[in-house]
Amino acid sequence: MKLNDLITDFKIALSNEETQLLRRFSGVMQPDQFTEREKRIIENMVRKSVVNKIVHKGKTYLVQNEKLS
């Protein structure tokens, strides 16, 4: 039996700030588009696997992992 069979509904706890910031994500974004405070919040979301950091040709990009409801 797989873990996904046992866990049908998996929720990641997000703070109000994280939820608000996640709503601003539209496709691929650059870290320069955010303030220092927002970058710190994004780092927390990267640790929670809500946002992915992608390095392409020496530049860092941010992309939302999945659409959360």
Side-chain angles (χ1 to χ4, degrees), residues 10-15 18-19 21-23 25 41-53 62-68:
F10 184 76
K11 301 262 182 186
I12 297 174
L14 297 175
S15 69
E18 290 170 337
T19 303
L21 189 57
L22 202 56
R23 287 185 191 136
F25 267 79
I41 295 168
I42 289 169
E43 286 297 324
N44 289 336
M45 290 192 295
V46 168
R47 283 188 214 104
K48 292 180 180 183
S49 296
V50 176
V51 173
N52 286 333
K53 254 188 193 180
L62 302 168
V63 64
Q64 186 175 350
N65 200 4
E66 282 187 29
K67 199 66 173 170
L68 300 174

PDB file of all heavy atoms in Angstrom, residues 10-15 18-19 21-23 25 41-53 62-68:
ATOM      1  N   PHE A  10      -3.939  16.053   2.031  1.00  0.00           N
ATOM      2  CA  PHE A  10      -2.722  16.527   2.665  1.00  0.00           C
ATOM      3  C   PHE A  10      -2.687  18.049   2.596  1.00  0.00           C
ATOM      4  O   PHE A  10      -2.673  18.622   1.509  1.00  0.00           O
ATOM      5  CB  PHE A  10      -1.501  15.933   1.958  1.00  0.00           C
ATOM      6  CG  PHE A  10      -0.205  16.289   2.609  1.00  0.00           C
ATOM      7  CD1 PHE A  10       0.191  15.670   3.773  1.00  0.00           C
ATOM      8  CD2 PHE A  10       0.621  17.251   2.051  1.00  0.00           C
ATOM      9  CE1 PHE A  10       1.394  15.997   4.369  1.00  0.00           C
ATOM     10  CE2 PHE A  10       1.817  17.584   2.642  1.00  0.00           C
ATOM     11  CZ  PHE A  10       2.208  16.950   3.805  1.00  0.00           C
ATOM     12  N   LYS A  11      -2.706  18.721   3.731  1.00  0.00           N
ATOM     13  CA  LYS A  11      -2.699  20.181   3.795  1.00  0.00           C
ATOM     14  C   LYS A  11      -1.389  20.665   4.394  1.00  0.00           C
ATOM     15  O   LYS A  11      -0.883  20.090   5.351  1.00  0.00           O
ATOM     16  CB  LYS A  11      -3.851  20.682   4.675  1.00  0.00           C
ATOM     17  CG  LYS A  11      -5.213  20.270   4.203  1.00  0.00           C
ATOM     18  CD  LYS A  11      -5.845  21.360   3.435  1.00  0.00           C
ATOM     19  CE  LYS A  11      -7.240  20.890   3.045  1.00  0.00           C
ATOM     20  NZ  LYS A  11      -7.896  21.784   2.197  1.00  0.00           N
ATOM     21  N   ILE A  12      -0.856  21.737   3.840  1.00  0.00           N
ATOM     22  CA  ILE A  12       0.337  22.379   4.369  1.00  0.00           C
ATOM     23  C   ILE A  12      -0.110  23.651   5.076  1.00  0.00           C
ATOM     24  O   ILE A  12      -0.812  24.479   4.485  1.00  0.00           O
ATOM     25  CB  ILE A  12       1.334  22.711   3.243  1.00  0.00           C
ATOM     26  CG1 ILE A  12       1.803  21.425   2.576  1.00  0.00           C
ATOM     27  CG2 ILE A  12       2.510  23.506   3.789  1.00  0.00           C
ATOM     28  CD1 ILE A  12       2.665  21.644   1.362  1.00  0.00           C
ATOM     29  N   ALA A  13       0.280  23.796   6.319  1.00  0.00           N
ATOM     30  CA  ALA A  13      -0.111  24.965   7.103  1.00  0.00           C
ATOM     31  C   ALA A  13       0.646  26.190   6.601  1.00  0.00           C
ATOM     32  O   ALA A  13       1.874  26.176   6.501  1.00  0.00           O
ATOM     33  CB  ALA A  13       0.180  24.730   8.576  1.00  0.00           C
ATOM     34  N   LEU A  14      -0.102  27.231   6.252  1.00  0.00           N
ATOM     35  CA  LEU A  14       0.479  28.492   5.796  1.00  0.00           C
ATOM     36  C   LEU A  14      -0.004  29.629   6.676  1.00  0.00           C
ATOM     37  O   LEU A  14      -1.165  29.652   7.086  1.00  0.00           O
ATOM     38  CB  LEU A  14       0.070  28.777   4.345  1.00  0.00           C
ATOM     39  CG  LEU A  14       0.537  27.801   3.279  1.00  0.00           C
ATOM     40  CD1 LEU A  14      -0.072  28.170   1.934  1.00  0.00           C
ATOM     41  CD2 LEU A  14       2.043  27.801   3.175  1.00  0.00           C
ATOM     42  N   SER A  15       0.887  30.574   6.943  1.00  0.00           N
ATOM     43  CA  SER A  15       0.499  31.757   7.701  1.00  0.00           C
ATOM     44  C   SER A  15      -0.297  32.691   6.797  1.00  0.00           C
ATOM     45  O   SER A  15      -0.370  32.498   5.576  1.00  0.00           O
ATOM     46  CB  SER A  15       1.744  32.471   8.235  1.00  0.00           C
ATOM     47  OG  SER A  15       2.458  33.056   7.162  1.00  0.00           O
ATOM     48  N   GLU A  18       2.007  34.238   4.230  1.00  0.00           N
ATOM     49  CA  GLU A  18       2.362  33.307   3.161  1.00  0.00           C
ATOM     50  C   GLU A  18       1.216  33.147   2.168  1.00  0.00           C
ATOM     51  O   GLU A  18       1.433  33.139   0.959  1.00  0.00           O
ATOM     52  CB  GLU A  18       2.737  31.943   3.760  1.00  0.00           C
ATOM     53  CG  GLU A  18       4.039  31.957   4.517  1.00  0.00           C
ATOM     54  CD  GLU A  18       4.286  30.690   5.305  1.00  0.00           C
ATOM     55  OE1 GLU A  18       3.318  29.988   5.628  1.00  0.00           O
ATOM     56  OE2 GLU A  18       5.466  30.424   5.610  1.00  0.00           O
ATOM     57  N   THR A  19       0.008  33.034   2.682  1.00  0.00           N
ATOM     58  CA  THR A  19      -1.163  32.893   1.811  1.00  0.00           C
ATOM     59  C   THR A  19      -1.336  34.124   0.935  1.00  0.00           C
ATOM     60  O   THR A  19      -1.588  34.012  -0.268  1.00  0.00           O
ATOM     61  CB  THR A  19      -2.427  32.676   2.664  1.00  0.00           C
ATOM     62  OG1 THR A  19      -2.237  31.531   3.493  1.00  0.00           O
ATOM     63  CG2 THR A  19      -3.643  32.459   1.788  1.00  0.00           C
ATOM     64  N   LEU A  21       0.955  36.295   0.031  1.00  0.00           N
ATOM     65  CA  LEU A  21       2.062  36.372  -0.918  1.00  0.00           C
ATOM     66  C   LEU A  21       1.899  35.334  -2.031  1.00  0.00           C
ATOM     67  O   LEU A  21       2.204  35.607  -3.196  1.00  0.00           O
ATOM     68  CB  LEU A  21       3.389  36.172  -0.189  1.00  0.00           C
ATOM     69  CG  LEU A  21       4.660  36.414  -0.965  1.00  0.00           C
ATOM     70  CD1 LEU A  21       4.684  37.831  -1.540  1.00  0.00           C
ATOM     71  CD2 LEU A  21       5.865  36.211  -0.079  1.00  0.00           C
ATOM     72  N   LEU A  22       1.394  34.182  -1.693  1.00  0.00           N
ATOM     73  CA  LEU A  22       1.182  33.116  -2.674  1.00  0.00           C
ATOM     74  C   LEU A  22       0.146  33.516  -3.723  1.00  0.00           C
ATOM     75  O   LEU A  22       0.238  33.111  -4.881  1.00  0.00           O
ATOM     76  CB  LEU A  22       0.757  31.844  -1.952  1.00  0.00           C
ATOM     77  CG  LEU A  22       0.971  30.530  -2.665  1.00  0.00           C
ATOM     78  CD1 LEU A  22       2.425  30.370  -3.069  1.00  0.00           C
ATOM     79  CD2 LEU A  22       0.537  29.390  -1.791  1.00  0.00           C
ATOM     80  N   ARG A  23      -0.811  34.330  -3.345  1.00  0.00           N
ATOM     81  CA  ARG A  23      -1.827  34.817  -4.288  1.00  0.00           C
ATOM     82  C   ARG A  23      -1.227  35.717  -5.364  1.00  0.00           C
ATOM     83  O   ARG A  23      -1.775  35.830  -6.453  1.00  0.00           O
ATOM     84  CB  ARG A  23      -2.920  35.584  -3.543  1.00  0.00           C
ATOM     85  CG  ARG A  23      -3.828  34.700  -2.745  1.00  0.00           C
ATOM     86  CD  ARG A  23      -4.956  35.485  -2.136  1.00  0.00           C
ATOM     87  NE  ARG A  23      -5.667  34.657  -1.170  1.00  0.00           N
ATOM     88  CZ  ARG A  23      -6.063  35.073   0.018  1.00  0.00           C
ATOM     89  NH1 ARG A  23      -5.868  36.319   0.403  1.00  0.00           N
ATOM     90  NH2 ARG A  23      -6.683  34.245   0.832  1.00  0.00           N
ATOM     91  N   PHE A  25       1.630  35.207  -6.806  1.00  0.00           N
ATOM     92  CA  PHE A  25       2.415  34.422  -7.750  1.00  0.00           C
ATOM     93  C   PHE A  25       1.629  34.191  -9.030  1.00  0.00           C
ATOM     94  O   PHE A  25       0.486  33.746  -9.003  1.00  0.00           O
ATOM     95  CB  PHE A  25       2.805  33.067  -7.139  1.00  0.00           C
ATOM     96  CG  PHE A  25       4.137  33.077  -6.462  1.00  0.00           C
ATOM     97  CD1 PHE A  25       4.283  33.600  -5.206  1.00  0.00           C
ATOM     98  CD2 PHE A  25       5.247  32.578  -7.109  1.00  0.00           C
ATOM     99  CE1 PHE A  25       5.502  33.616  -4.581  1.00  0.00           C
ATOM    100  CE2 PHE A  25       6.487  32.585  -6.490  1.00  0.00           C
ATOM    101  CZ  PHE A  25       6.610  33.114  -5.235  1.00  0.00           C
ATOM    102  N   ILE A  41       9.847  35.399   3.707  1.00  0.00           N
ATOM    103  CA  ILE A  41       8.636  34.569   3.718  1.00  0.00           C
ATOM    104  C   ILE A  41       8.720  33.514   2.612  1.00  0.00           C
ATOM    105  O   ILE A  41       8.351  32.351   2.817  1.00  0.00           O
ATOM    106  CB  ILE A  41       7.379  35.445   3.558  1.00  0.00           C
ATOM    107  CG1 ILE A  41       7.228  36.362   4.773  1.00  0.00           C
ATOM    108  CG2 ILE A  41       6.135  34.596   3.378  1.00  0.00           C
ATOM    109  CD1 ILE A  41       6.201  37.460   4.607  1.00  0.00           C
ATOM    110  N   ILE A  42       9.229  33.904   1.457  1.00  0.00           N
ATOM    111  CA  ILE A  42       9.377  32.964   0.339  1.00  0.00           C
ATOM    112  C   ILE A  42      10.362  31.858   0.697  1.00  0.00           C
ATOM    113  O   ILE A  42      10.150  30.698   0.350  1.00  0.00           O
ATOM    114  CB  ILE A  42       9.795  33.711  -0.941  1.00  0.00           C
ATOM    115  CG1 ILE A  42       8.624  34.545  -1.447  1.00  0.00           C
ATOM    116  CG2 ILE A  42      10.266  32.745  -2.010  1.00  0.00           C
ATOM    117  CD1 ILE A  42       8.962  35.520  -2.549  1.00  0.00           C
ATOM    118  N   GLU A  43      11.436  32.198   1.411  1.00  0.00           N
ATOM    119  CA  GLU A  43      12.387  31.170   1.855  1.00  0.00           C
ATOM    120  C   GLU A  43      11.694  30.133   2.731  1.00  0.00           C
ATOM    121  O   GLU A  43      11.973  28.937   2.630  1.00  0.00           O
ATOM    122  CB  GLU A  43      13.559  31.799   2.609  1.00  0.00           C
ATOM    123  CG  GLU A  43      14.537  32.511   1.727  1.00  0.00           C
ATOM    124  CD  GLU A  43      15.229  31.587   0.747  1.00  0.00           C
ATOM    125  OE1 GLU A  43      15.526  30.424   1.102  1.00  0.00           O
ATOM    126  OE2 GLU A  43      15.460  32.024  -0.386  1.00  0.00           O
ATOM    127  N   ASN A  44      10.786  30.589   3.594  1.00  0.00           N
ATOM    128  CA  ASN A  44      10.020  29.652   4.422  1.00  0.00           C
ATOM    129  C   ASN A  44       9.132  28.772   3.555  1.00  0.00           C
ATOM    130  O   ASN A  44       8.982  27.578   3.823  1.00  0.00           O
ATOM    131  CB  ASN A  44       9.164  30.409   5.442  1.00  0.00           C
ATOM    132  CG  ASN A  44       9.993  31.053   6.526  1.00  0.00           C
ATOM    133  OD1 ASN A  44      11.109  30.625   6.803  1.00  0.00           O
ATOM    134  ND2 ASN A  44       9.455  32.102   7.133  1.00  0.00           N
ATOM    135  N   MET A  45       8.539  29.343   2.522  1.00  0.00           N
ATOM    136  CA  MET A  45       7.678  28.564   1.632  1.00  0.00           C
ATOM    137  C   MET A  45       8.492  27.574   0.796  1.00  0.00           C
ATOM    138  O   MET A  45       7.998  26.508   0.450  1.00  0.00           O
ATOM    139  CB  MET A  45       6.847  29.489   0.741  1.00  0.00           C
ATOM    140  CG  MET A  45       5.779  30.244   1.509  1.00  0.00           C
ATOM    141  SD  MET A  45       4.556  31.067   0.480  1.00  0.00           S
ATOM    142  CE  MET A  45       5.519  32.292  -0.353  1.00  0.00           C
ATOM    143  N   VAL A  46       9.748  27.906   0.494  1.00  0.00           N
ATOM    144  CA  VAL A  46      10.623  26.976  -0.215  1.00  0.00           C
ATOM    145  C   VAL A  46      10.903  25.770   0.683  1.00  0.00           C
ATOM    146  O   VAL A  46      10.870  24.626   0.235  1.00  0.00           O
ATOM    147  CB  VAL A  46      11.937  27.664  -0.656  1.00  0.00           C
ATOM    148  CG1 VAL A  46      12.965  26.646  -1.127  1.00  0.00           C
ATOM    149  CG2 VAL A  46      11.662  28.687  -1.743  1.00  0.00           C
ATOM    150  N   ARG A  47      11.142  26.020   1.975  1.00  0.00           N
ATOM    151  CA  ARG A  47      11.374  24.924   2.924  1.00  0.00           C
ATOM    152  C   ARG A  47      10.148  24.032   3.070  1.00  0.00           C
ATOM    153  O   ARG A  47      10.268  22.838   3.302  1.00  0.00           O
ATOM    154  CB  ARG A  47      11.762  25.476   4.293  1.00  0.00           C
ATOM    155  CG  ARG A  47      13.181  25.939   4.348  1.00  0.00           C
ATOM    156  CD  ARG A  47      13.598  26.291   5.764  1.00  0.00           C
ATOM    157  NE  ARG A  47      14.529  27.390   5.681  1.00  0.00           N
ATOM    158  CZ  ARG A  47      14.253  28.649   5.966  1.00  0.00           C
ATOM    159  NH1 ARG A  47      13.059  28.988   6.410  1.00  0.00           N
ATOM    160  NH2 ARG A  47      15.149  29.593   5.850  1.00  0.00           N
ATOM    161  N   LYS A  48       8.958  24.627   2.946  1.00  0.00           N
ATOM    162  CA  LYS A  48       7.713  23.863   3.042  1.00  0.00           C
ATOM    163  C   LYS A  48       7.340  23.211   1.712  1.00  0.00           C
ATOM    164  O   LYS A  48       6.328  22.542   1.626  1.00  0.00           O
ATOM    165  CB  LYS A  48       6.562  24.788   3.460  1.00  0.00           C
ATOM    166  CG  LYS A  48       6.664  25.306   4.862  1.00  0.00           C
ATOM    167  CD  LYS A  48       5.480  26.200   5.173  1.00  0.00           C
ATOM    168  CE  LYS A  48       5.540  26.753   6.578  1.00  0.00           C
ATOM    169  NZ  LYS A  48       4.347  27.565   6.881  1.00  0.00           N
ATOM    170  N   SER A  49       8.132  23.432   0.679  1.00  0.00           N
ATOM    171  CA  SER A  49       7.892  22.903  -0.676  1.00  0.00           C
ATOM    172  C   SER A  49       6.622  23.453  -1.308  1.00  0.00           C
ATOM    173  O   SER A  49       5.979  22.785  -2.102  1.00  0.00           O
ATOM    174  CB  SER A  49       7.854  21.374  -0.666  1.00  0.00           C
ATOM    175  OG  SER A  49       9.093  20.866  -0.288  1.00  0.00           O
ATOM    176  N   VAL A  50       6.276  24.663  -0.962  1.00  0.00           N
ATOM    177  CA  VAL A  50       5.134  25.330  -1.587  1.00  0.00           C
ATOM    178  C   VAL A  50       5.611  26.113  -2.808  1.00  0.00           C
ATOM    179  O   VAL A  50       4.893  26.242  -3.796  1.00  0.00           O
ATOM    180  CB  VAL A  50       4.431  26.270  -0.579  1.00  0.00           C
ATOM    181  CG1 VAL A  50       3.311  27.048  -1.225  1.00  0.00           C
ATOM    182  CG2 VAL A  50       3.906  25.464   0.602  1.00  0.00           C
ATOM    183  N   VAL A  51       6.836  26.621  -2.732  1.00  0.00           N
ATOM    184  CA  VAL A  51       7.455  27.375  -3.824  1.00  0.00           C
ATOM    185  C   VAL A  51       8.777  26.694  -4.170  1.00  0.00           C
ATOM    186  O   VAL A  51       9.484  26.219  -3.279  1.00  0.00           O
ATOM    187  CB  VAL A  51       7.702  28.847  -3.402  1.00  0.00           C
ATOM    188  CG1 VAL A  51       8.492  29.600  -4.436  1.00  0.00           C
ATOM    189  CG2 VAL A  51       6.385  29.550  -3.134  1.00  0.00           C
ATOM    190  N   ASN A  52       9.086  26.637  -5.453  1.00  0.00           N
ATOM    191  CA  ASN A  52      10.361  26.068  -5.911  1.00  0.00           C
ATOM    192  C   ASN A  52      11.276  27.173  -6.399  1.00  0.00           C
ATOM    193  O   ASN A  52      10.825  28.120  -7.036  1.00  0.00           O
ATOM    194  CB  ASN A  52      10.146  25.082  -7.056  1.00  0.00           C
ATOM    195  CG  ASN A  52       9.562  23.784  -6.589  1.00  0.00           C
ATOM    196  OD1 ASN A  52       9.751  23.382  -5.449  1.00  0.00           O
ATOM    197  ND2 ASN A  52       8.835  23.126  -7.468  1.00  0.00           N
ATOM    198  N   LYS A  53      12.558  27.022  -6.090  1.00  0.00           N
ATOM    199  CA  LYS A  53      13.593  27.901  -6.621  1.00  0.00           C
ATOM    200  C   LYS A  53      14.246  27.183  -7.773  1.00  0.00           C
ATOM    201  O   LYS A  53      14.688  26.043  -7.627  1.00  0.00           O
ATOM    202  CB  LYS A  53      14.649  28.171  -5.551  1.00  0.00           C
ATOM    203  CG  LYS A  53      14.618  29.505  -4.944  1.00  0.00           C
ATOM    204  CD  LYS A  53      15.835  29.662  -4.064  1.00  0.00           C
ATOM    205  CE  LYS A  53      15.655  30.873  -3.211  1.00  0.00           C
ATOM    206  NZ  LYS A  53      16.785  31.083  -2.334  1.00  0.00           N
ATOM    207  N   LEU A  62      11.506  31.891  -9.237  1.00  0.00           N
ATOM    208  CA  LEU A  62      10.596  31.299  -8.263  1.00  0.00           C
ATOM    209  C   LEU A  62       9.320  30.880  -8.971  1.00  0.00           C
ATOM    210  O   LEU A  62       8.799  31.617  -9.803  1.00  0.00           O
ATOM    211  CB  LEU A  62      10.256  32.313  -7.167  1.00  0.00           C
ATOM    212  CG  LEU A  62      11.434  32.874  -6.389  1.00  0.00           C
ATOM    213  CD1 LEU A  62      10.989  34.071  -5.563  1.00  0.00           C
ATOM    214  CD2 LEU A  62      12.019  31.807  -5.494  1.00  0.00           C
ATOM    215  N   VAL A  63       8.828  29.695  -8.623  1.00  0.00           N
ATOM    216  CA  VAL A  63       7.588  29.214  -9.222  1.00  0.00           C
ATOM    217  C   VAL A  63       6.786  28.491  -8.151  1.00  0.00           C
ATOM    218  O   VAL A  63       7.334  27.805  -7.294  1.00  0.00           O
ATOM    219  CB  VAL A  63       7.872  28.302 -10.442  1.00  0.00           C
ATOM    220  CG1 VAL A  63       8.597  27.048 -10.045  1.00  0.00           C
ATOM    221  CG2 VAL A  63       6.612  27.977 -11.189  1.00  0.00           C
ATOM    222  N   GLN A  64       5.486  28.695  -8.179  1.00  0.00           N
ATOM    223  CA  GLN A  64       4.587  28.036  -7.234  1.00  0.00           C
ATOM    224  C   GLN A  64       4.568  26.543  -7.544  1.00  0.00           C
ATOM    225  O   GLN A  64       4.468  26.146  -8.704  1.00  0.00           O
ATOM    226  CB  GLN A  64       3.194  28.628  -7.359  1.00  0.00           C
ATOM    227  CG  GLN A  64       2.214  28.136  -6.342  1.00  0.00           C
ATOM    228  CD  GLN A  64       0.878  28.859  -6.448  1.00  0.00           C
ATOM    229  OE1 GLN A  64       0.750  29.848  -7.155  1.00  0.00           O
ATOM    230  NE2 GLN A  64      -0.089  28.373  -5.737  1.00  0.00           N
ATOM    231  N   ASN A  65       4.679  25.701  -6.509  1.00  0.00           N
ATOM    232  CA  ASN A  65       4.782  24.270  -6.687  1.00  0.00           C
ATOM    233  C   ASN A  65       3.509  23.679  -7.265  1.00  0.00           C
ATOM    234  O   ASN A  65       3.530  22.997  -8.265  1.00  0.00           O
ATOM    235  CB  ASN A  65       5.134  23.594  -5.372  1.00  0.00           C
ATOM    236  CG  ASN A  65       5.704  22.224  -5.562  1.00  0.00           C
ATOM    237  OD1 ASN A  65       5.917  21.773  -6.673  1.00  0.00           O
ATOM    238  ND2 ASN A  65       5.959  21.548  -4.468  1.00  0.00           N
ATOM    239  N   GLU A  66       2.375  23.895  -6.628  1.00  0.00           N
ATOM    240  CA  GLU A  66       1.081  23.431  -7.098  1.00  0.00           C
ATOM    241  C   GLU A  66       0.035  24.440  -6.735  1.00  0.00           C
ATOM    242  O   GLU A  66       0.225  25.243  -5.840  1.00  0.00           O
ATOM    243  CB  GLU A  66       0.702  22.094  -6.432  1.00  0.00           C
ATOM    244  CG  GLU A  66       1.381  20.894  -7.010  1.00  0.00           C
ATOM    245  CD  GLU A  66       0.820  19.610  -6.416  1.00  0.00           C
ATOM    246  OE1 GLU A  66      -0.366  19.604  -6.029  1.00  0.00           O
ATOM    247  OE2 GLU A  66       1.564  18.655  -6.346  1.00  0.00           O
ATOM    248  N   LYS A  67      -1.066  24.375  -7.414  1.00  0.00           N
ATOM    249  CA  LYS A  67      -2.167  25.282  -7.083  1.00  0.00           C
ATOM    250  C   LYS A  67      -2.841  24.797  -5.813  1.00  0.00           C
ATOM    251  O   LYS A  67      -3.345  23.678  -5.765  1.00  0.00           O
ATOM    252  CB  LYS A  67      -3.181  25.313  -8.239  1.00  0.00           C
ATOM    253  CG  LYS A  67      -4.069  26.502  -8.210  1.00  0.00           C
ATOM    254  CD  LYS A  67      -3.274  27.760  -8.449  1.00  0.00           C
ATOM    255  CE  LYS A  67      -4.181  28.951  -8.592  1.00  0.00           C
ATOM    256  NZ  LYS A  67      -3.485  30.194  -8.587  1.00  0.00           N
ATOM    257  N   LEU A  68      -2.812  25.602  -4.760  1.00  0.00           N
ATOM    258  CA  LEU A  68      -3.430  25.220  -3.491  1.00  0.00           C
ATOM    259  C   LEU A  68      -4.833  25.806  -3.433  1.00  0.00           C
ATOM    260  O   LEU A  68      -5.081  26.911  -3.884  1.00  0.00           O
ATOM    261  CB  LEU A  68      -2.597  25.760  -2.313  1.00  0.00           C
ATOM    262  CG  LEU A  68      -1.166  25.257  -2.252  1.00  0.00           C
ATOM    263  CD1 LEU A  68      -0.423  25.977  -1.143  1.00  0.00           C
ATOM    264  CD2 LEU A  68      -1.121  23.771  -2.033  1.00  0.00           C
TER     265      LEU A  68
END
